[in-house]
Amino acid sequence: MTVEFEVNGHMVTIDVPEHWLLADVLRNQMDFTGVHLACEYGVCGACTVLMDGEPVRSCLTLAVQAAGRRITTVEGLASEGQLNVVQQAFIEHHALQCGFCTPGFVVTASYLVNQNREMTREQIREALSGNLCRCTGYQKIVDAVEEALRRHQATDPTAEDN
Amino acid sequence: MKPAPFNYLRAATVDEVLQKLQEWGEEAKVLAGGQSLMPLLNMRLAQPRYIIDVNGLAEMTGMNWCPETQTLTVGALTRHRELLQHPLIETHAPLLREAAHFIGHLAIRSRGTLGGSIAHADPAAELPLVVIALGGTLVIQSLTGEHSIPIEEFFLGYYMTILKPDELITAVKIPGLANNTGYAITEFARRHGDFALASAAAVVTVDERGTIIKARCAVGGVAPQAIRCPAVDVSLSGARSPGDFAQAARQLENMIEPPDDVQASGEYRRYLAVELMSQAIGVAYARAVATKEARA
Amino acid sequence: MGYIGQRMTRVEDERLVTGKGRYVSDITPPGTLHLAIVRSLHAHAKITGLEFEAARNLAGVVGVYGPKDLEPIMRPLPKGMPDPRLRAQMPTPLAIDRVHYVGEPVAVVVAENRYIAEDAAQLVEVGYEPLLAITDPVEGEHAPPIHLGSQSNLAAEVHYMVGSGAAALSGADHVVEVTLRLGRVVGHPMEPRGIVAIFNPDTKSLLVYAGTQGVHGFRHSLAEMLQMPDNRIRVVAPDTGGGFGLKTRIYAEDVLAAYLAVQLKRPIKWAGDRREEFMSTNQERDQVHYAKIGVKSSGEIVAVVDHFFQDQGAYTPSGIIVPDTTAICIMGPYRVPHFEAVGKVVYTNKVSVGPYRGAGRPQGTFVMERLLDHAADALGMDRVQIRRINLLTPDQFPYHNGIPARGASMTLPYGEYQKTMDQVVAAIDYDTFRNPVQKGDWKLGVGVANYLEMSGGFGFEGAKMRLLEDGRIEIATGSSSQGQGHRTAIAQVAADRLNLPFEQFVVVEGDTDAIERGIGTFGSRTMMMTGNATAQAAPGFRKRLLEYAAQIFEAAPEDLHWDLGRISVTGVPTRSLSLAELAHHAASENVTLEVAAYFDAVGPAFGMGTHGVVVAINVKTWAIEIRDYRICHDGGVLVNPLLVEGQTIGGTVQGIGTALFESLIIDPESGQPLNATFLDYLLPAAGEMPDFKVTEVEYPDPTNPEGFKGVAEGGIMPPMAAICAAVENALRPWSIHADTLPVTPSDLFYQVAKGGIQ
């Protein structure tokens, strides 16, 4: 089936078998290998991408379902080589070790930051509970997201005041 | 872990879905949010020949409140995230919002749907549980027409329902909360977002003196399907204290016999169900009393 | 320059946070074919038939192979860590005639993509005649042997004795006996195993990408299996998504992929998935201990005796390193005058046991710490007090604990153990929580556990420094990274020892072409080994550069001056060269400026530490929550405290997993795993984990010049014991025992229900 959709700001038209997963097509057909597969049944979160701005599991999405949608992978978050606030905070807080789960966390956290809501550490932990990391023990990831939220709100005029 | 091949149809109308369901029968699976079906496909535990994607069907989205019948009709394609955010849910069926909080994780809630969760019939799923407690009905369509059934008549056991291969759930109708009514869901899971080891939901109505006059309770995760608990409901009549609630919840002990599994013993799950039911009743009761007092 | 000791952020990270990491599964050369493995559905069975026709006929399938089709490689995989005590069993890449665990490879499919490969694997028909599955090591010892031609399921017996061993128990005032069980734990790096093998028919050489923890050993094993010389295989470990010991050895799939790449002359890729990770990657823990401690009325330890069983699973891919390490780590940081451990290693019809982070250290710690808690309870003594009485004191160092090592006794260097423990005892507010506290439905309790982290101490590792043309210095090492941050930490050491800016260094790891010899990353050894090799290479490398510059300047090397990357003739500042200029010069003369140093281990390092935890237990639901967690840890000289903290917290959370969540349940009758998905095998997740407060003490290790110690396994050693202690403490009125891991709400409910509320 031929489908057309937007990936990281570019329109693509691609012919894919109907039963292929969006994750595989992003990885293998388009070389967005930052989309990682670590469980393939929607538990670990490594394959999380944004679809029309919302986090979804690309292993639980068929490639043909992306038709007409706007997909953002971890590769699409930095603009013109400028890391986004989450990516920057992840580096500063040592929020990654092996890096395999990192794209899923960074995508999820970027969504949270864009939501512009203040979050407690507990709320951040709950929001990240669908992403598994085996290296860091999560604490430094929570630190990084907390910091990213803080910085985003300090710089984004649309951020809520509360 | 890749799905076996299938033919994919992106349906444009409910009619098209119904036609194809009739044509393909058991060889077809309806794909809604995909948060349960896709794992089954990836693990090859389900290998349908046809996948009918209903995600594009506007007819199955949205919700509306009918003041005459005091009924909230919620499209089957309503995502869990919408249950968390929609003002009509907030006003008329806040129990659905509370239930949605417990479901999986952020990315699961972006995609998962109300109708899909009910049709999948996982005994530990939260939405079937609360729709039972709320006395909801399912709107089911096939080429032969549309009918509604009370949700508690829908489930037949683990992942089994009365839905025929040519039928589709298109909407869920939730009666509005009566005056002086409170609601609650409680559950216990090992980790955030896991399927609960046990869960309970209660909707109770109190009279002017703060005594329970009506209750609808349900438990999940402790039987082959989420179930109503009429014995608890009856026992709650006249109840008004935590002791009463605990005693009513103990009616469950004779109703359920959950099996042992890798997470917990059946005995523990039964104990949990009673405890959670008692807590749910307590919360629902407090809310009922609070609404009563707010009205007064 | 003072880089050592700085909390520097990692040079690795920018690529990884932008999705530009390159993991094995990201590598797909043109023309790649994909493997799917047909795996045994039975724990123990005879294979009565293999039918490939339907699979072979599927469009896109290149081949389907059983053992008869791949005869040249149907030999046992190389034995890992051979040991005279062990009757080793190693699998062939595909099972021949019999399968010994659910998941053992029986056939392999090669297809144009993974989808088709899986479609075809499903069409392979395998006939099985099920045999009795052995699933319990205690019963299994005397059950019919699972391996044909062997006499018994007893693979090995490890035995250590210090002083008079068990006989000394008769001299104790009290003897306490405990049965301890540790669940079967699956290591689960987030990246499943995988391999890409590319054969060049012209040079008859193989290029292999594999997420292995040791490229040189991997190459050697592969060469042995393929009967190729080592030097015709290049193994590259690209970005690797976690290892934790599971990726130390070659696996069946590696051999299959490499061999098929040679045969088919096409790149071959096997990207294992999570199901395969559950069913084929080495697992760990799975021990039962019958342990005794004899103490005087004063609390002083007289003797510790442990009889234990290691459920080894079907094969011995890493010998008996796990039970052996278990035994030698039991005594920990305490003075134990008499000790005896007998560990029986028993074959069962399960996935093989091989090292997972700690590799016996956590088990040994669990045994000792639990014994101390039970002994204190029996004596009516405080649990911290009994530790205070028995911890080694500064005047007792160096302490020879009696475990043989290199022909002598294992020797613990200096440490102030009681001070370390007391720091945690104060931080966790032990005195408040030792008498159980109740808040609403929650009962709070505290637990404290000590550990002695044994790290490094074997083999060698190298660092090869080379001046690159741009003036930067490459440091190549055989020890590769799976997330540890070596490229940052090793550069910190090099920058200090060469007195150059950190940015001047590029660390290259995980490539057999980068350095001739190497062992790899395990046992928390890399900073000790490569760190010291780097420090050792530095003076020689500087000398080499100075000598070469001296030639250019026609000066004596001793007249040259080395200053922040410029070499000048002393007193003649106009005559100077930057390193880039020097490199340029060398390139024009075809001179390679390169110096390698190899560091040999003298012995393991020992770092002592303490964990303290407050747990809360809901007496209505039996939910267990961690409310506070304090760690004091000795990592020797810390190269990068930020990374050390990451290792410590990450390890601790894995330990909490073993303590509270993780256990692969195997059906005792059928040998089938019952929870082999992330839905029901519960990894620790963000929502349940606490924030940790870590403090470091630094006692430099005397066995290596830099004073480094390994830091990656300390975290995982004591959480189980500390949590069990805290759970018991919280529920003291019910006298429950938390001696079986994981401790679950269901178990607590059961114990309290059976014990009744007192």
Side-chain angles (χ1 to χ4, degrees):
Chain A
M1 183 178 266
T2 302
V3 287
E4 193 178 85
F5 56 100
E6 187 187 314
V7 186
N8 298 332
H10 300 281
M11 286 307 295
V12 292
T13 306
I14 188 163
D15 192 35
V16 290
E18 294 171 356
H19 64 296
W20 282 24
L21 304 174
L22 177 60
D24 283 316
V25 170
L26 290 169
R27 287 174 51 74
N28 303 327
Q29 263 50 27
M30 303 178 187
D31 213 26
F32 292 115
T33 53
V35 178
H36 290 165
L37 287 171
C39 79
E40 293 176 273
Y41 36 71
V43 179
C44 79
C47 70
T48 306
V49 300
L50 301 180
M51 187 153 86
D52 295 337
E54 277 196 80
V56 300
R57 308 290 205 218
S58 61
C59 77
L60 300 186
T61 308
L62 297 171
V64 291
Q65 292 186 288
R69 307 294 200 117
R70 182 166 45 88
I71 305 294
T72 310
T73 72
V74 68
E75 288 94 338
L77 295 174
S79 61
E80 291 165 18
Q82 187 73 40
L83 301 181
N84 82 4
V85 64
V86 171
Q87 292 167 320
Q88 191 60 43
F90 265 58
I91 295 175
E92 287 170 21
H93 286 269
H94 186 34
L96 63 151
Q97 291 181 27
C98 82
F100 200 76
C101 70
T102 306
F105 273 98
V106 167
V107 167
T108 306
S110 296
Y111 166 81
L112 294 176
V113 164
N114 287 333
Q115 292 293 296
N116 260 332
R117 260 181 289 127
E118 270 188 25
M119 297 177 83
T120 62
R121 281 182 79 81
E122 205 175 323
Q123 288 169 326
I124 293 170
R125 284 184 177 276
E126 199 282 329
L128 297 175
S129 64
N131 291 75
L132 295 175
C133 169
R134 194 56 154 164
C135 296
T136 65
Y138 302 103
Q139 182 166 340
K140 289 175 184 300
I141 297 177
V142 179
D143 292 345
V145 176
E146 211 175 23
E147 173 78 19
L149 282 164
R150 208 167 25 231
R151 279 192 209 165
H152 181 75
Q153 298 196 330
T155 55
D156 185 341
T158 65
E160 290 168 24
D161 290 334
N162 54 352
Chain B
M1 228 179 278
K2 312 294 181 192
F6 49 74
N7 297 295
Y8 170 85
L9 173 76
R10 187 185 300 125
T13 62
V14 167
D15 247 15
E16 186 185 5
V17 177
L18 299 177
Q19 274 171 28
K20 291 301 178 188
L21 281 177
Q22 188 170 59
E23 185 183 334
W24 294 333
E26 282 174 350
E27 291 187 318
K29 277 273 177 201
V30 171
L31 175 62
Q35 305 304 292
S36 302
L37 178 57
M38 287 302 303
L40 294 176
L41 295 178
N42 291 2
M43 294 191 229
R44 293 179 180 241
L45 294 172
Q47 300 197 20
R49 213 161 137 194
Y50 301 97
I51 287 289
I52 305 173
D53 185 348
V54 297
N55 281 283
L57 303 186
E59 301 157 79
M60 282 166 61
T61 62
M63 53 190 89
N64 68 76
W65 169 250
C66 175
E68 289 74 36
T69 59
Q70 292 282 300
T71 303
L72 181 70
T73 303
V74 186
L77 267 182
T78 302
R79 316 271 168 192
H80 306 329
R81 183 187 47 71
E82 294 173 80
L83 296 178
L84 288 170
Q85 296 168 348
H86 204 289
L88 284 177
I89 295 289
E90 178 63 40
T91 311
H92 301 294
L95 183 53
L96 280 175
R97 174 176 52 79
E98 292 203 354
H101 269 296
F102 287 114
I103 305 174
H105 313 282
L106 208 57
I108 304 292
R109 298 192 291 263
S110 299
R111 294 293 293 162
T113 67
L114 174 61
S117 173
I118 291 169
H120 182 60
D122 189 305
E126 289 84 0
L127 294 176
L129 174 76
V130 296
V131 176
I132 289 173
L134 290 167
T137 53
L138 307 179
V139 179
I140 295 174
Q141 290 193 32
S142 69
L143 282 186
T144 56
E146 178 183 306
H147 66 284
S148 294
I149 63 151
I151 186 170
E152 62 257 40
E153 293 170 20
F154 181 71
F155 300 108
L156 293 176
Y158 294 101
Y159 309 103
M160 299 214 314
T161 71
I162 61 161
L163 199 67
K164 297 194 186 79
D166 65 342
E167 292 179 333
L168 180 69
I169 302 174
T170 54
V172 179
K173 287 184 187 291
I174 311 281
L177 292 174
N179 287 342
N180 302 348
T181 298
Y183 56 88
I185 174 172
T186 53
E187 72 166 46
F188 183 74
R190 298 287 304 282
R191 300 175 305 179
H192 281 79
D194 283 347
F195 277 114
L197 296 184
S199 53
V203 177
V204 305
T205 306
V206 296
D207 64 15
E208 290 307 320
R209 288 165 304 156
T211 303
I212 293 179
I213 50 172
K214 195 180 157 208
R216 263 183 89 92
C217 296
V219 283
V222 289
Q225 64 203 60
I227 51 172
R228 262 197 80 175
C229 315
V232 179
D233 301 347
V234 170
S235 171
L236 278 174
S237 176
R240 54 181 300 147
S241 72
D244 297 341
F245 308 153
Q247 199 183 340
R250 275 199 291 275
Q251 299 296 324
L252 277 175
E253 282 171 0
N254 301 321
M255 280 180 61
I256 54 174
E257 204 164 344
D260 296 346
D261 71 11
V262 293
Q263 305 299 352
S265 70
E267 203 181 335
Y268 169 60
R269 295 177 104 120
R270 176 159 59 188
Y271 160 84
L272 259 186
V274 172
E275 178 58 37
L276 293 167
M277 179 57 82
S278 174
Q279 292 180 13
I281 296 165
V283 174
Y285 175 79
R287 283 174 168 162
V289 170
T291 46
K292 173 184 75 81
E293 281 162 9
R295 285 161 48 82
Chain C
M1 300 286 283
Y3 288 108
I4 292 177
Q6 296 298 312
R7 297 170 70 90
M8 297 189 68
T9 58
R10 304 196 316 171
V11 298
E12 288 91 340
D13 289 354
E14 183 160 340
R15 292 169 52 251
L16 301 177
V17 298
T18 50
K20 297 197 184 78
R22 200 111 183 106
Y23 299 84
V24 171
S25 56
D26 300 337
I27 297 167
T28 315
T32 295
L33 297 172
H34 299 257
L35 298 191
I37 311 288
V38 179
R39 297 183 181 277
S40 171
L41 302 175
H42 293 271
H44 194 194
K46 277 186 200 164
I47 298 176
T48 56
L50 282 172
E51 181 50 60
F52 297 154
E53 201 185 332
R56 280 180 176 146
N57 288 338
L58 193 71
V61 171
V62 173
V64 184
Y65 310 90
K68 289 203 177 81
D69 308 304
L70 304 176
E71 258 177 345
I73 53 167
M74 287 302 130
R75 291 172 287 115
L77 295 181
K79 287 174 192 163
M81 304 190 169
D83 192 302
R85 294 168 292 180
L86 169 66
R87 289 167 291 280
Q89 292 286 348
M90 290 302 293
T92 46
L94 294 175
I96 301 172
D97 300 332
R98 282 161 81 102
V99 287
H100 296 97
Y101 65 92
V102 175
E104 184 162 13
V106 279
V108 55
V109 175
V110 184
E112 294 295 338
N113 61 54
R114 174 79 184 197
Y115 284 81
I116 296 173
E118 289 192 19
D119 296 341
Q122 198 184 329
L123 294 173
V124 169
E125 287 170 39
V126 186
Y128 294 103
E129 185 186 313
L131 301 167
L132 176 72
I134 304 299
T135 56
D136 179 86
V138 181
E139 291 167 16
E141 183 191 352
H142 301 295
I146 67 166
H147 290 290
L148 278 178
S150 74
Q151 299 301 306
S152 142
N153 288 321
L154 186 66
E157 191 170 296
V158 298
H159 187 190
Y160 288 93
M161 190 159 113
V162 173
S164 319
L169 284 174
S170 59
D173 295 331
H174 298 269
V175 175
V176 177
E177 195 172 346
V178 185
T179 300
L180 302 166
R181 296 173 199 278
L182 294 102
R184 180 164 271 254
V185 172
V186 190
H188 284 309
M190 289 313 293
E191 181 196 23
R193 288 187 297 113
I195 181 171
V196 175
I198 305 150
F199 183 60
N200 182 331
D202 299 330
T203 58
K204 294 195 168 32
S205 61
L206 253 181
L207 167 60
V208 171
Y209 294 96
T212 174
Q213 295 176 228
V215 285
H216 294 86
F218 187 98
R219 173 174 69 174
H220 188 65
S221 297
L222 197 56
E224 196 179 317
M225 290 304 291
L226 302 184
Q227 299 185 295
M228 274 172 86
D230 282 35
N231 60 10
R232 276 207 263 122
I233 303 176
R234 176 184 176 192
V235 176
V236 176
D239 291 315
T240 300
F244 313 122
L246 313 170
K247 297 175 181 172
T248 52
R249 302 276 151 202
I250 199 168
Y251 284 85
E253 298 87 351
D254 300 318
V255 180
L256 293 169
Y259 179 75
L260 287 165
V262 174
Q263 293 303 302
L264 300 172
K265 299 183 174 54
R266 296 263 302 266
I268 299 282
K269 178 171 178 172
W270 173 69
D273 61 30
R274 188 56 56 186
R275 173 157 40 190
E276 297 185 285
E277 202 62 23
F278 268 108
M279 297 204 305
S280 69
T281 298
N282 297 341
Q283 301 173 352
E284 233 241 57
R285 312 307 190 238
D286 210 348
Q287 295 179 346
V288 52
H289 292 259
Y290 305 99
K292 289 179 191 169
I293 186 168
V295 289
K296 294 187 184 162
S297 297
S298 63
E300 205 176 315
I301 297 169
V302 175
V304 168
V305 178
D306 182 29
H307 288 260
F308 69 95
F309 287 83
Q310 172 74 58
D311 183 329
Q312 177 57 36
Y315 302 102
T316 46
S318 290
I320 50 174
I321 186 72
V322 174
D324 203 48
T325 306
T326 300
I328 68 178
C329 287
I330 291 171
M331 287 188 285
Y334 302 100
R335 205 165 52 78
V336 181
H338 303 281
F339 170 72
E340 192 162 359
V342 180
K344 290 183 169 181
V345 185
V346 181
Y347 288 118
T348 61
N349 292 114
K350 302 183 191 172
V351 170
S352 307
V353 158
Y356 160 57
R357 199 173 197 164
R361 294 163 183 80
Q363 295 92 316
T365 305
F366 185 64
V367 171
M368 188 70 194
E369 295 297 315
R370 287 275 68 207
L371 282 174
L372 286 170
D373 284 341
H374 284 289
D377 294 354
L379 290 170
M381 181 181 275
D382 178 72
R383 286 171 163 190
V384 163
Q385 183 57 21
I386 199 170
R387 288 171 167 79
R388 207 169 273 134
I389 289 166
N390 289 289
L391 278 173
L392 289 161
T393 50
D395 57 299
Q396 291 168 327
F397 295 116
Y399 178 75
H400 307 285
N401 73 2
I403 297 287
R406 295 178 177 236
S409 165
M410 209 173 245
T411 303
L412 314 188
Y414 188 78
E416 292 166 271
Y417 294 178
Q418 288 163 338
K419 222 166 111 184
T420 298
M421 182 178 74
D422 285 341
Q423 195 175 326
V424 170
V425 166
I428 199 75
D429 204 1
Y430 182 81
D431 286 337
T432 299
F433 291 105
R434 58 188 282 196
N435 300 309
V437 174
Q438 178 136 8
K439 290 182 182 166
D441 288 337
W442 295 90
K443 280 183 180 291
L444 280 71
V446 66
V448 169
N450 297 311
Y451 63 98
L452 186 67
E453 179 175 14
M454 177 178 72
S455 56
F458 55 92
F460 66 88
E461 206 63 74
K464 185 161 84 174
M465 290 187 177
R466 187 161 66 94
L467 187 63
L468 301 175
E469 281 204 43
D470 60 6
R472 290 183 304 161
I473 295 161
E474 179 186 281
I475 304 165
T477 178
S479 180
S480 56
S481 178
Q482 304 82 43
Q484 295 86 345
H486 297 162
R487 290 175 211 184
T488 304
I490 291 166
Q492 286 179 261
V493 174
D496 269 11
R497 294 297 165 255
L498 281 170
N499 199 28
L500 288 172
F502 172 80
E503 295 72 26
Q504 194 98 16
F505 295 91
V506 186
V507 176
V508 174
E509 47 178 353
D511 185 346
T512 52
D513 267 10
I515 187 166
E516 290 71 18
R517 293 182 299 282
I519 293 188
T521 299
F522 24 83
S524 302
R525 66 194 294 276
T526 298
M527 282 325 294
M528 285 177 70
M529 305 303 298
T530 305
N532 277 285
T534 301
Q536 272 184 6
F541 183 67
R542 185 205 309 243
K543 185 160 170 271
R544 176 81 180 92
L545 298 192
L546 286 172
E547 279 169 1
Y548 183 65
Q551 277 179 34
I552 299 169
F553 291 133
E554 297 181 340
E558 50 276 18
D559 291 337
L560 298 187
H561 183 74
W562 169 280
D563 182 29
L564 283 180
R566 282 200 90 75
I567 297 175
S568 13
V569 180
T570 309
V572 194
T574 49
R575 302 200 60 199
S576 82
L577 286 172
S578 70
L579 288 184
E581 287 161 343
L582 190 71
H584 232 72
H585 220 284
S588 69
E589 292 189 332
N590 196 21
V591 170
T592 304
L593 296 171
E594 179 181 285
V595 167
Y598 286 85
F599 179 74
D600 286 301
V602 179
F606 292 95
M608 182 271 178
T610 306
H611 286 203
V613 61
V614 172
V615 304
I617 295 168
N618 186 305
V619 294
K620 294 277 175 63
T621 62
W622 304 102
I624 307 166
E625 288 183 6
I626 296 173
R627 292 290 172 85
D628 194 7
Y629 206 114
R630 308 289 173 134
I631 297 170
C632 188
H633 169 254
D634 166 20
V637 172
L638 302 186
V639 178
N640 185 328
L642 183 66
L643 305 195
V644 172
E645 224 168 75
Q647 288 296 319
T648 302
I649 292 173
T652 302
V653 164
Q654 287 186 355
I656 293 173
T658 304
L660 294 176
F661 294 104
E662 296 179 49
S663 179
L664 187 68
I665 312 287
I666 308 287
D667 180 67
E669 300 300 315
S670 68
Q672 296 286 341
L674 300 179
N675 56 335
T677 76
F678 276 172
L679 289 161
D680 39 20
Y681 179 94
L682 308 180
L683 291 188
E688 291 67 39
M689 291 303 111
D691 283 325
F692 300 86
K693 294 205 177 62
V694 185
T695 51
E696 294 283 348
V697 289
E698 295 191 31
Y699 298 102
D701 180 60
T703 70
N704 69 84
E706 294 292 323
F708 298 157
K709 294 179 179 180
V711 299
E713 289 163 300
I716 203 170
M717 293 172 70
M720 291 79 87
I723 287 170
C724 288
V727 166
E728 288 180 357
N729 181 240
L731 300 181
R732 204 156 63 181
W734 287 294
S735 303
I736 65 118
H737 290 299
D739 291 330
T740 296
L741 299 179
V743 177
T744 66
S746 185
D747 291 342
L748 294 183
F749 163 78
Y750 184 80
Q751 285 203 44
V752 172
K754 297 297 145 181
I757 295 172
Q758 289 166 15

